[in-house]
Amino acid sequence: MKECRIAWSPGEARIAVCDGDDLIDFALWRPGMPDGYGDTHLVRVQKAAPALGGAFVTLADHSTGFLTGTHQEGALTAARVTRSAQNGKGLRLKPVSGKVPEGDTPRLVAHGPTPLEDIAARYPDLALCCDDPALMAQIPAALKPRIERVPQAFDAVLEACCDELATPQAALPNGLRATITPTPALTAIDLDDPSPDQRRQMDGFTANRNAFPALAREIFLRNLSGAILIDPAGVPLRKRPALGSFLAAAFADDPMQPKMLGATSLGLLEVVRVRGRAPLHEALASPGGRGLSALRQILRDRSDRKAGGTPVLRASLDVVRALEADPEALAQFALCWGAPLTLTMMPDYPDAYWSFAP
């Protein structure tokens, strides 16, 4: 039985769709830190870049993006975000057909759907099981009839499944294991068999083929995008191209429609998956993601801490700035804790480290 369960912590909703004990869809929704995906803007063309197939544009917040197509420098044009900022690159946009919205300066014309709205559209018959009134108040009006209040959205099993998505490894059927390594240019996925001697009744080709549906689900859940190279486990080089059709079939239900491009000369299976929202590992490792994770962990561990006093979070400059830019998340934390949170910048702290004193 499928369920859509939404666990809320200050500034962040973790959305999980389950089919029994299997996690089949996952997303993060941060209302105070929107990624801009799907937004429509009135942008100004700053610099044409014919060699790149488009032009650099300026948005209302003075950030820059890349707009596909041919455009006159200095012109105002309507565009929609087709790729959020990620991998060190800014927004990517495409022109919007029809009448250009009125205005003589760049501005945001309309917001795109949130990650929650995306998942709700993919599963229109599922109730949205929420565990916190603060989240229920932020859900769009069109989805409110689908809200179902539950005492706890995530149990220990679901919590563990979602936590595993933050790790670089994933267990696959038949004893195989995937090690996922994102790089600036591509994502490398190495499949290996930690105990080949214990699996004697199945050859490597069949084991990889049977593991592909689970691997495709991991790629979807983690939103791995762009170029993806997969190194099969225990399959001779000459047989690897024949795995391509099975991998392509495993991607059939992915809404981003990944394409299997074939096998390289080194026997790596080459896949490309359209970039949209930032991949999960980038969202989790961003300064905002680090900060919201800290707030969630602090509240989760509160039972082990002494009550009272003024809570103080010490973190890197970028993490503190990201939290300061989301006052609603800080207000929600203060409501849960019973006192406002003091943020202290620590220039020597890396983004991945923080400390807390109640």
Side-chain angles (χ1 to χ4, degrees):
M1 180 177 178
K2 291 182 181 179
E3 293 183 301
C4 180
R5 306 188 71 83
I6 311 172
W8 177 249
S9 58
E12 182 177 76
R14 291 176 296 160
I15 310 163
V17 179
C18 307
D19 189 353
D21 291 334
D22 295 329
L23 179 63
I24 62 173
D25 209 337
F26 182 79
L28 296 176
W29 176 33
R30 298 167 176 167
M33 301 179 184
D35 60 9
Y37 181 72
D39 290 354
T40 300
H41 292 264
L42 189 62
V43 300
R44 187 176 300 281
V45 180
Q46 291 294 336
K47 179 68 175 178
L52 300 177
F56 294 97
V57 297
T58 301
L59 284 71
D61 61 0
H62 305 294
S63 64
T64 60
F66 186 80
L67 177 64
T68 58
T70 302
H71 306 279
Q72 182 179 355
E73 293 183 0
L76 282 169
T77 186
R80 181 172 292 112
V81 177
T82 58
R83 187 189 70 194
S84 60
Q86 56 191 272
N87 197 26
K89 299 178 180 179
L91 298 174
R92 190 176 184 89
L93 307 96
K94 71 174 183 180
V96 175
S97 59
K99 183 180 178 181
V100 175
E102 296 181 359
D104 54 6
T105 58
R107 64 182 178 89
L108 174 66
V109 177
H111 287 290
T114 65
L116 174 60
E117 290 171 304
D118 284 343
I119 284 187
R122 286 200 289 270
Y123 307 94
D125 298 327
L126 296 187
L128 307 178
C129 300
C130 309
D131 60 4
D132 195 293
L135 169 64
M136 296 165 67
Q138 297 194 56
I139 289 180
L143 297 180
K144 288 188 182 296
R146 295 172 56 179
I147 297 176
E148 181 179 315
R149 178 73 187 274
V150 295
Q152 184 176 3
F154 282 17
D155 59 17
V157 173
L158 183 54
E159 192 82 39
C161 289
C162 295
D163 287 346
E164 287 177 3
L165 296 178
T167 70
Q169 293 188 333
L172 302 177
N174 308 125
L176 297 188
R177 179 179 60 195
T179 300
I180 302 166
T181 307
T183 75
L186 54 86
T187 298
I189 301 179
D190 176 47
L191 304 185
D192 70 293
D193 188 347
S195 305
D197 294 337
Q198 297 179 13
R199 182 179 48 76
R200 300 179 180 274
Q201 299 180 350
M202 185 178 297
D203 63 275
F205 186 96
T206 304
N208 281 266
R209 181 189 67 192
N210 291 348
F212 282 163
L215 176 62
R217 185 176 66 179
E218 289 290 335
I219 291 172
F220 169 63
L221 291 173
R222 298 164 185 255
N223 195 27
L224 302 175
S225 305
I228 302 172
L229 293 181
I230 301 169
D231 186 10
V235 180
L237 191 64
R238 58 185 172 78
K239 291 186 177 182
R240 293 187 174 194
L243 286 169
S245 60
F246 299 104
L247 183 58
F251 286 125
D253 295 330
D254 191 320
M256 301 305 282
Q257 299 181 329
K259 297 186 185 304
M260 171 63 202
L261 303 182
T264 69
S265 299
L266 294 175
L268 305 177
L269 303 182
E270 189 176 8
V271 175
V272 63
R273 188 171 183 270
V274 176
R275 297 184 188 272
R277 300 187 190 275
L280 181 62
H281 63 267
E282 284 195 26
L284 294 174
S286 67
R290 302 278 194 192
L292 295 180
S293 176
L295 299 187
R296 182 173 71 250
Q297 184 173 335
I298 291 167
L299 292 175
R300 184 180 60 191
D301 298 342
R302 185 181 181 184
S303 59
D304 299 330
R305 301 183 183 276
K306 191 175 181 179
T310 300
V312 179
L313 176 63
R314 297 178 176 86
S316 71
L317 275 65
D318 287 341
V319 168
V320 169
R321 286 169 178 159
L323 287 176
E324 288 176 338
D326 190 353
E328 186 62 30
L330 296 178
Q332 291 160 3
F333 178 91
L335 185 63
C336 294
W337 186 270
L341 178 66
T342 297
L343 298 174
T344 302
M345 292 184 177
M346 304 297 289
D348 58 334
Y349 277 21
D351 287 350
Y353 181 79
W354 54 270
S355 60
F356 177 75

